[in-house]
Amino acid sequence: MTTTVQHLINGVWVGDPETERRNPADPGEVATISARGDESTVQDAISVAAQAQRAWATTPGPARGAILMDAADLLRQRHADVTRDLVREEGKTLAEATGEVRRAIDVLRFFGSHGWRLPGQTFPSSLPDTTVLSRAEPLGVVGLITPWNFPIAIPAWKMAPALISGNAVVMKPAELTPASATHLATALVDAGLPAGVLNVVHGKGSVVGAAIARDPRVAALSFTGSTQVGLGLHEVLSSRRARVQLEMGGKNAYVILDDADPVTAARIVAAGSFSLTGQACTATSRVYCTPGIREAFLAALAKEAERFAPGNGLESGTGMGPVVSEQQLATDLAAIKRAQEQGAQVVTGGAADGAFLSPTVLTDVEHHHDVAQEEVFGPVLAVLDIADYEEGLARVNDSDYGLTAGLCTTNLVHAHHFAANAQVGVVKINRPTTGLDLNVPFGGVKDSSSNTFREQGPGAVDFYTWSKTVYIGHDS
Ligand code: NAD
């Protein structure tokens, strides 16, 4: 069954569905067929958003929040269909997709309740009979551009703080996964979101995304995707002094020390590397082992990898879904081949059957090899040797990226030292690099992020608001 997807502009679904997206696990099936927007579609969306935003901004926070809460309830009622569509267009397993749709529901609830707690403060004044306060003002129209790998959770964690703060939104979901974000938008419309407050335009990034980024009526852009595209958008937004938030690629490292349990370490690393087919920005892709644990860790890792048997995400027994696209598969296989040319040994996996790439473990990798430096974005893990903790920390930090990093140890001193000194946005001690709660700040440093504002958690609204200081004298 094919899901048709249209643009949402001014509360109306428009555009002829024309772009086909095939199910990566079953290429004979057309998963979605979506409308293809252009510059004029984007301009229409921005115009109606600018108009709708004024009334939305004066709607009380709790009333805005009630709509987000109702949308969460609707998504909950529809979750079976939404989850199925997510698997069919993105490929992840049913369990992974179920978790992701639940995350979107919880994000709507979290920011819905935030309508009662929108920021604003009073301050003591040095002047008599004077009240000083700050107001958190919405920015106006904000643009959101999202990737395919979390096709409903990322739109939710951008949209919800933007809307609860009183902004209107123009959003562009990834071309590969148009249906998931559209389900989210549908729930918000059905919950009573006023026309024009949320607009969704589908189509190519270089056309639709670029048009959103350069329009002077868009006060801010929140982008998640590749570092290459993100840095280009940074230039565009900075040149017109608009606010920009970028969350981008990663080359996330794990350090395993001799004092750790090798089986536990393998479980943690495999979960971080192979769940979501390794297609998570936070996925573990390089591991540094001290000599005393290396062999036992590798043996346990090979066993753990068996639990990630690739297959169709809708079928029971599937441990890992397909690679999302032919292009991504070619990238993954090229990275494995290049690693072998540079001297790496494939000890597990390394081959694909159609879109199904086996979880792949490489050894004999040097820190300067491409596979230890460049993001692959697939289930490909490089295992490297280190002499001790100090060398491991240095290797972790010797990277262009800085999203997540982990340490497996029972040594408290090393755990705290690592937390203080790893140059990443998220540190995980004895936990997989993937997976964060929705109430904690999320983001990276270096080439992983604009490192301006964090996403998720209560602080997520900071990106979508500006602070106005107000003095009120009351002595007359
Ligand atoms: P991508 O950069 O190719 O695309 C992301 C979005 O940008 C898509 O909607 C795309 O259409 C749009 N886009 C592409 N070119 C554009 C342009 N010139 N102007 C405006 N928009 C444009 O990334 P992807 O392949 O969808 O996602 C994978 C990447 O996303 C990986 O690098 C991954 O690490 C990263 N990612 C990061 C996070 C994070 O939070 N740090 C989370 C998920 C994914």
Side-chain angles (χ1 to χ4, degrees):
M1 200 197 72
T2 302
T3 302
T4 54
V5 178
Q6 292 182 285
H7 311 302
L8 172 65
I9 297 179
N10 209 17
V12 182
W13 298 99
V14 295
D16 294 331
E18 50 185 318
T19 306
E20 276 185 11
R21 162 64 173 156
R22 290 177 182 271
N23 180 341
D26 181 6
E29 181 195 27
V30 177
T32 65
I33 176 157
S34 57
R36 191 184 303 152
D38 57 20
E39 169 114 34
S40 76
T41 329
V42 172
Q43 287 184 356
D44 289 350
I46 295 171
S47 299
V48 298
Q51 207 160 14
Q53 193 266 334
R54 288 185 277 277
W56 180 242
T58 59
T59 304
R64 295 199 292 256
I67 293 173
L68 268 58
M69 292 288 199
D70 288 349
D73 290 346
L74 290 172
L75 216 46
R76 177 97 193 93
Q77 287 162 24
R78 300 168 185 174
H79 82 276
D81 290 342
V82 177
T83 304
R84 220 184 145 72
D85 271 359
L86 200 163
V87 175
R88 288 167 60 250
E89 68 176 2
E90 203 272 351
K92 59 184 62 174
T93 66
L94 199 52
E96 290 166 346
T98 302
E100 187 182 338
V101 174
R102 279 201 191 126
R103 168 58 62 101
I105 293 165
D106 289 344
V107 165
L108 288 173
R109 290 194 175 131
F110 181 82
F111 287 104
S113 72
H114 206 68
W116 292 96
R117 293 188 303 274
L118 285 167
Q121 237 180 315
T122 55
F123 302 87
S125 175
S126 60
L127 304 173
D129 300 317
T130 304
T131 299
V132 187
L133 53 92
S134 68
R135 294 167 51 92
E137 304 285 1
L139 302 177
V141 177
V142 299
L144 310 178
I145 299 180
T146 54
W148 48 262
N149 69 326
F150 285 101
I152 194 164
I154 294 179
W157 81 51
K158 291 186 190 298
M159 228 183 249
L163 293 174
I164 199 66
S165 308
N167 300 282
V169 168
V170 176
M171 123 147 247
K172 194 212 95 61
E175 296 99 300
L176 295 180
T177 54
S180 300
T182 305
H183 280 301
L184 177 65
T186 306
L188 283 156
V189 169
D190 293 350
L193 192 71
V197 171
L198 171 64
N199 305 275
V200 182
V201 183
H202 299 280
K204 282 180 81 69
S206 55
V207 177
V208 172
I212 295 172
R214 68 173 167 260
D215 195 300
R217 294 169 295 172
V218 173
L221 179 77
S222 179
F223 165 88
T224 299
S226 62
T227 297
Q228 193 195 358
V229 172
L231 295 181
L233 290 170
H234 194 268
E235 297 280 306
V236 176
L237 275 290
S238 306
S239 71
R240 60 181 185 82
R241 290 195 298 131
R243 198 177 277 194
V244 60
Q245 176 179 54
L246 310 169
E247 293 305 336
M248 305 181 284
K251 189 69 201 171
N252 310 297
Y254 222 99
V255 177
I256 315 277
L257 299 182
D258 283 358
D259 59 61
D261 171 50
V263 175
T264 306
R267 187 172 38 75
I268 290 168
V269 167
S273 298
F274 305 134
S275 55
L276 304 152
T277 319
Q279 298 172 152
C281 53
T282 50
T284 308
S285 60
R286 50 189 180 120
V287 173
Y288 297 91
C289 283
T290 47
I293 194 169
R294 185 179 185 277
E295 293 313 313
F297 167 72
L298 279 172
L301 187 61
K303 267 207 154 79
E304 281 295 323
E306 287 170 15
R307 298 198 302 114
F308 293 86
N312 187 326
L314 290 175
E315 286 165 12
S316 63
T318 293
M320 188 173 82
V323 174
V324 73
S325 65
E326 283 174 17
Q327 193 190 349
Q328 184 63 51
L329 179 64
T331 303
D332 297 356
L333 292 173
I336 296 168
K337 186 159 173 265
R338 174 85 182 125
Q340 287 174 297
E341 285 164 2
Q342 291 187 311
Q345 299 294 317
V346 175
V347 293
T348 305
D353 177 6
F356 303 103
L357 176 60
S358 303
T360 298
V361 178
L362 303 165
T363 58
D364 300 283
V365 175
E366 303 276 333
H367 177 67
H368 64 273
H369 289 174
D370 295 350
V371 76
Q373 298 290 333
E374 294 169 9
E375 183 180 55
V376 178
F377 219 57
V380 180
L381 175 66
V383 180
L384 299 93
D385 302 326
I386 45 166
D388 51 25
Y389 165 74
E390 285 72 21
E391 188 187 358
L393 176 64
R395 296 298 197 206
V396 168
N397 288 340
D398 182 22
S399 171
D400 291 340
Y401 295 106
L403 188 49
T404 68
L407 174 69
C408 233
T409 187
T410 50
N411 181 319
L412 255 185
V413 174
H414 285 148
H416 282 280
H417 189 269
F418 191 79
N421 292 286
Q423 292 161 13
V424 291
V426 179
V427 171
K428 297 284 197 83
I429 310 289
N430 300 322
R431 292 287 180 271
T433 52
T434 48
L436 265 84
D437 289 301
L438 61 85
N439 60 338
V440 300
F442 174 59
V445 296
K446 301 186 188 172
D447 282 355
S448 293
S449 174
S450 52
N451 194 9
T452 41
F453 295 84
R454 288 297 186 232
E455 300 207 86
Q456 309 204 56
V461 296
D462 293 347
F463 177 72
Y464 298 100
T465 53
W466 58 280
S467 178
K468 181 190 281 175
T469 306
V470 180
Y471 276 70
I472 301 173
H474 37 82
D475 50 357
S476 54

Tab-separated table of all heavy atoms in Angstrom, residues 126-159:
chain	number	residue	atom	x	y	z
A	126	SER	N	17.623	48.375	41.025
A	126	SER	CA	18.350	49.333	41.862
A	126	SER	C	17.520	50.605	42.064
A	126	SER	O	17.847	51.436	42.906
A	126	SER	CB	19.688	49.687	41.210
A	126	SER	OG	19.439	50.260	39.940
A	127	LEU	N	16.465	50.741	41.291
A	127	LEU	CA	15.622	51.932	41.383
A	127	LEU	C	14.441	51.672	42.323
A	127	LEU	O	13.929	50.546	42.367
A	127	LEU	CB	15.076	52.307	40.004
A	127	LEU	CG	16.124	52.535	38.907
A	127	LEU	CD1	15.452	52.739	37.568
A	127	LEU	CD2	16.985	53.745	39.276
A	128	PRO	N	13.971	52.720	43.049
A	128	PRO	CA	12.776	52.522	43.890
A	128	PRO	C	11.526	52.380	43.024
A	128	PRO	O	11.484	52.892	41.896
A	128	PRO	CB	12.730	53.798	44.738
A	128	PRO	CG	13.514	54.809	43.974
A	128	PRO	CD	14.521	54.084	43.140
A	129	ASP	N	10.532	51.700	43.561
A	129	ASP	CA	9.216	51.570	42.912
A	129	ASP	C	9.331	51.142	41.449
A	129	ASP	O	8.688	51.694	40.560
A	129	ASP	CB	8.449	52.898	43.003
A	129	ASP	CG	8.227	53.308	44.445
A	129	ASP	OD1	7.870	52.424	45.254
A	129	ASP	OD2	8.465	54.482	44.769
A	130	THR	N	10.177	50.197	41.222
A	130	THR	CA	10.405	49.763	39.837
A	130	THR	C	10.394	48.239	39.767
A	130	THR	O	11.035	47.565	40.579
A	130	THR	CB	11.775	50.270	39.328
A	130	THR	OG1	11.813	51.681	39.480
A	130	THR	CG2	12.002	49.895	37.871
A	131	THR	N	9.652	47.713	38.821
A	131	THR	CA	9.671	46.274	38.568
A	131	THR	C	10.473	46.037	37.284
A	131	THR	O	10.249	46.720	36.275
A	131	THR	CB	8.237	45.739	38.374
A	131	THR	OG1	7.507	45.992	39.574
A	131	THR	CG2	8.226	44.253	38.067
A	132	VAL	N	11.381	45.086	37.336
A	132	VAL	CA	12.153	44.722	36.143
A	132	VAL	C	11.845	43.266	35.823
A	132	VAL	O	11.879	42.416	36.704
A	132	VAL	CB	13.665	44.876	36.356
A	132	VAL	CG1	14.402	44.650	35.038
A	132	VAL	CG2	14.007	46.224	36.934
A	133	LEU	N	11.537	43.038	34.567
A	133	LEU	CA	11.253	41.654	34.183
A	133	LEU	C	11.777	41.370	32.785
A	133	LEU	O	12.096	42.294	32.026
A	133	LEU	CB	9.754	41.368	34.274
A	133	LEU	CG	8.790	42.301	33.536
A	133	LEU	CD1	8.518	41.765	32.147
A	133	LEU	CD2	7.495	42.429	34.329
A	134	SER	N	11.894	40.083	32.485
A	134	SER	CA	12.251	39.712	31.116
A	134	SER	C	11.128	38.860	30.542
A	134	SER	O	10.509	38.066	31.247
A	134	SER	CB	13.575	38.960	31.080
A	134	SER	OG	13.429	37.700	31.701
A	135	ARG	N	10.873	39.089	29.273
A	135	ARG	CA	9.849	38.332	28.543
A	135	ARG	C	10.543	37.491	27.480
A	135	ARG	O	11.459	37.971	26.818
A	135	ARG	CB	8.882	39.287	27.826
A	135	ARG	CG	8.022	40.152	28.712
A	135	ARG	CD	7.360	41.249	27.866
A	135	ARG	NE	6.695	40.737	26.689
A	135	ARG	CZ	5.397	40.382	26.621
A	135	ARG	NH1	4.633	40.522	27.693
A	135	ARG	NH2	4.881	39.919	25.517
A	136	ALA	N	10.107	36.244	27.309
A	136	ALA	CA	10.639	35.397	26.227
A	136	ALA	C	9.732	35.582	25.016
A	136	ALA	O	8.591	35.113	25.011
A	136	ALA	CB	10.664	33.945	26.663
A	137	GLU	N	10.226	36.295	24.016
A	137	GLU	CA	9.413	36.597	22.840
A	137	GLU	C	9.677	35.577	21.733
A	137	GLU	O	10.837	35.171	21.528
A	137	GLU	CB	9.771	37.992	22.290
A	137	GLU	CG	9.640	39.123	23.294
A	137	GLU	CD	8.194	39.510	23.563
A	137	GLU	OE1	7.285	38.891	22.993
A	137	GLU	OE2	7.979	40.426	24.375
A	138	PRO	N	8.637	35.165	20.992
A	138	PRO	CA	8.890	34.274	19.854
A	138	PRO	C	9.677	35.001	18.763
A	138	PRO	O	9.655	36.230	18.686
A	138	PRO	CB	7.480	33.914	19.364
A	138	PRO	CG	6.582	34.968	19.907
A	138	PRO	CD	7.219	35.500	21.153
A	139	LEU	N	10.346	34.224	17.924
A	139	LEU	CA	11.171	34.831	16.872
A	139	LEU	C	10.336	35.273	15.681
A	139	LEU	O	10.692	36.202	14.977
A	139	LEU	CB	12.229	33.831	16.392
A	139	LEU	CG	13.188	33.289	17.460
A	139	LEU	CD1	14.126	32.265	16.844
A	139	LEU	CD2	13.988	34.415	18.085
A	140	GLY	N	9.241	34.556	15.416
A	140	GLY	CA	8.397	34.855	14.241
A	140	GLY	C	8.202	33.588	13.426
A	140	GLY	O	7.650	32.605	13.926
A	141	VAL	N	8.698	33.593	12.187
A	141	VAL	CA	8.622	32.382	11.353
A	141	VAL	C	9.972	31.674	11.455
A	141	VAL	O	11.017	32.287	11.238
A	141	VAL	CB	8.351	32.736	9.875
A	141	VAL	CG1	8.355	31.468	9.020
A	141	VAL	CG2	7.033	33.472	9.741
A	142	VAL	N	9.943	30.386	11.790
A	142	VAL	CA	11.191	29.629	11.853
A	142	VAL	C	11.166	28.491	10.827
A	142	VAL	O	10.112	27.911	10.543
A	142	VAL	CB	11.473	29.070	13.271
A	142	VAL	CG1	11.603	30.206	14.279
A	142	VAL	CG2	10.415	28.085	13.705
A	143	GLY	N	12.323	28.216	10.257
A	143	GLY	CA	12.473	27.118	9.294
A	143	GLY	C	13.065	25.906	9.988
A	143	GLY	O	13.951	26.041	10.838
A	144	LEU	N	12.585	24.721	9.640
A	144	LEU	CA	13.101	23.464	10.192
A	144	LEU	C	13.440	22.531	9.039
A	144	LEU	O	12.603	22.314	8.153
A	144	LEU	CB	12.051	22.794	11.089
A	144	LEU	CG	11.372	23.651	12.173
A	144	LEU	CD1	10.328	22.820	12.924
A	144	LEU	CD2	12.395	24.230	13.141
A	145	ILE	N	14.641	22.008	9.029
A	145	ILE	CA	15.065	21.064	7.978
A	145	ILE	C	15.589	19.811	8.680
A	145	ILE	O	16.464	19.898	9.552
A	145	ILE	CB	16.160	21.688	7.082
A	145	ILE	CG1	15.630	22.949	6.388
A	145	ILE	CG2	16.637	20.678	6.052
A	145	ILE	CD1	16.633	23.649	5.475
A	146	THR	N	15.048	18.653	8.288
A	146	THR	CA	15.324	17.433	9.067
A	146	THR	C	15.818	16.292	8.172
A	146	THR	O	15.519	16.244	6.981
A	146	THR	CB	14.053	16.990	9.828
A	146	THR	OG1	12.976	16.867	8.903
A	146	THR	CG2	13.690	17.997	10.903
A	147	PRO	N	16.563	15.324	8.788
A	147	PRO	CA	17.108	14.189	8.039
A	147	PRO	C	16.159	12.996	8.048
A	147	PRO	O	15.115	13.028	8.701
A	147	PRO	CB	18.381	13.876	8.816
A	147	PRO	CG	17.997	14.162	10.239
A	147	PRO	CD	16.995	15.290	10.205
A	148	TRP	N	16.588	11.912	7.359
A	148	TRP	CA	15.712	10.750	7.218
A	148	TRP	C	15.840	9.773	8.382
A	148	TRP	O	15.005	8.892	8.542
A	148	TRP	CB	16.012	10.020	5.899
A	148	TRP	CG	17.484	9.777	5.673
A	148	TRP	CD1	18.314	10.545	4.898
A	148	TRP	CD2	18.303	8.742	6.231
A	148	TRP	NE1	19.608	10.055	4.948
A	148	TRP	CE2	19.629	8.936	5.756
A	148	TRP	CE3	18.062	7.668	7.082
A	148	TRP	CZ2	20.696	8.108	6.101
A	148	TRP	CZ3	19.130	6.836	7.431
A	148	TRP	CH2	20.414	7.060	6.945
A	149	ASN	N	16.890	9.876	9.206
A	149	ASN	CA	17.178	8.741	10.098
A	149	ASN	C	16.283	8.684	11.343
A	149	ASN	O	16.107	7.621	11.913
A	149	ASN	CB	18.667	8.707	10.461
A	149	ASN	CG	19.073	9.843	11.353
A	149	ASN	OD1	18.537	10.937	11.248
A	149	ASN	ND2	20.022	9.601	12.239
A	150	PHE	N	15.753	9.834	11.777
A	150	PHE	CA	14.700	9.827	12.817
A	150	PHE	C	13.562	10.673	12.246
A	150	PHE	O	13.381	11.838	12.630
A	150	PHE	CB	15.209	10.403	14.136
A	150	PHE	CG	16.117	9.471	14.885
A	150	PHE	CD1	17.490	9.646	14.851
A	150	PHE	CD2	15.600	8.401	15.599
A	150	PHE	CE1	18.332	8.773	15.520
A	150	PHE	CE2	16.444	7.531	16.277
A	150	PHE	CZ	17.808	7.717	16.232
A	151	PRO	N	12.773	10.090	11.335
A	151	PRO	CA	11.891	10.917	10.505
A	151	PRO	C	10.674	11.492	11.216
A	151	PRO	O	10.015	12.385	10.683
A	151	PRO	CB	11.469	9.969	9.385
A	151	PRO	CG	11.617	8.609	9.975
A	151	PRO	CD	12.769	8.674	10.935
A	152	ILE	N	10.364	10.997	12.432
A	152	ILE	CA	9.275	11.636	13.182
A	152	ILE	C	9.796	12.252	14.486
A	152	ILE	O	9.303	13.314	14.903
A	152	ILE	CB	8.087	10.672	13.428
A	152	ILE	CG1	6.854	11.478	13.909
A	152	ILE	CG2	8.419	9.567	14.408
A	152	ILE	CD1	5.545	10.723	13.819
A	153	ALA	N	10.802	11.650	15.098
A	153	ALA	CA	11.273	12.181	16.392
A	153	ALA	C	11.954	13.540	16.217
A	153	ALA	O	11.711	14.467	16.995
A	153	ALA	CB	12.228	11.188	17.057
A	154	ILE	N	12.811	13.662	15.192
A	154	ILE	CA	13.515	14.943	15.029
A	154	ILE	C	12.538	16.058	14.638
A	154	ILE	O	12.576	17.142	15.245
A	154	ILE	CB	14.712	14.817	14.059
A	154	ILE	CG1	15.767	13.896	14.681
A	154	ILE	CG2	15.318	16.196	13.764
A	154	ILE	CD1	17.012	13.661	13.832
A	155	PRO	N	11.640	15.827	13.666
A	155	PRO	CA	10.635	16.879	13.432
A	155	PRO	C	9.875	17.252	14.708
A	155	PRO	O	9.603	18.431	14.959
A	155	PRO	CB	9.710	16.241	12.386
A	155	PRO	CG	10.619	15.347	11.607
A	155	PRO	CD	11.560	14.772	12.631
A	156	ALA	N	9.564	16.257	15.538
A	156	ALA	CA	8.816	16.554	16.770
A	156	ALA	C	9.659	17.393	17.725
A	156	ALA	O	9.162	18.363	18.315
A	156	ALA	CB	8.380	15.257	17.455
A	157	TRP	N	10.960	17.046	17.872
A	157	TRP	CA	11.736	17.773	18.878
A	157	TRP	C	12.170	19.150	18.390
A	157	TRP	O	12.676	19.944	19.169
A	157	TRP	CB	12.826	16.932	19.497
A	157	TRP	CG	14.141	16.706	18.833
A	157	TRP	CD1	14.989	17.639	18.308
A	157	TRP	CD2	14.821	15.444	18.698
A	157	TRP	NE1	16.127	17.035	17.848
A	157	TRP	CE2	16.063	15.693	18.074
A	157	TRP	CE3	14.506	14.127	19.047
A	157	TRP	CZ2	16.977	14.678	17.784
A	157	TRP	CZ3	15.426	13.129	18.755
A	157	TRP	CH2	16.636	13.401	18.131
A	158	LYS	N	11.945	19.442	17.118
A	158	LYS	CA	12.120	20.831	16.660
A	158	LYS	C	10.770	21.580	16.690
A	158	LYS	O	10.672	22.722	17.138
A	158	LYS	CB	12.692	20.864	15.238
A	158	LYS	CG	14.134	20.387	15.133
A	158	LYS	CD	14.663	20.587	13.729
A	158	LYS	CE	15.996	19.914	13.481
A	158	LYS	NZ	17.115	20.376	14.308
A	159	MET	N	9.746	20.924	16.130
A	159	MET	CA	8.444	21.568	15.981
A	159	MET	C	7.826	21.957	17.337
A	159	MET	O	7.292	23.055	17.487
A	159	MET	CB	7.505	20.544	15.336
A	159	MET	CG	6.702	21.035	14.190
A	159	MET	SD	5.646	19.657	13.710
A	159	MET	CE	6.316	19.218	12.148
